[in-house]
Amino acid sequence: MKRNIVRSASTMTSIPLNLRGLKCPLPALRVRKALKTAAPGDLFLVECTDPMAAIDIPNLMRETGDAIELSSSEGELLVFHIRKAAA
């Protein structure tokens, strides 16, 4: 039996943001700018090396209403999976 799976384009869109080497406040500002032009449901894969991003990006998500689905760190690399909220 063959199944048809329908997925909307917005749930499958993942956008990498390489913000390595940028210092505060640039990582948060770049994430804010990217979220403004994103479609609801878009997923951003954000990579930062600025330790202040661990504070700034979660605070930004509280302001915008968007969600951090996953955050992790490996050495100095911080990774955030951010989902654009529905309009």
Side-chain angles (χ1 to χ4, degrees):
M1 175 189 262
K2 186 176 179 180
R3 288 183 171 166
N4 290 329
I5 299 173
V6 178
R7 294 183 183 154
S8 68
S10 65
T11 60
M12 297 186 331
T13 302
S14 102
I15 303 158
L17 286 179
N18 182 348
L19 306 177
R20 295 175 189 212
L22 296 179
K23 298 293 181 192
C24 183
L26 290 177
L29 293 174
R30 297 269 175 97
V31 170
R32 181 187 299 270
K33 182 177 179 179
L35 287 168
K36 283 185 180 182
T37 61
D42 281 353
L43 178 67
F44 289 89
L45 307 176
V46 180
E47 295 182 341
C48 308
T49 51
D50 180 17
M52 289 303 295
I55 298 167
D56 294 342
I57 290 179
N59 285 335
L60 174 63
M61 296 304 99
R62 280 190 281 283
E63 287 178 24
T64 64
D66 302 305
I68 296 175
E69 293 187 349
L70 175 76
S71 66
S72 64
S73 63
E74 297 175 21
E76 67 177 32
L77 180 64
L78 301 170
V79 179
F80 299 93
H81 292 204
I82 298 172
R83 179 80 60 188
K84 173 70 177 176

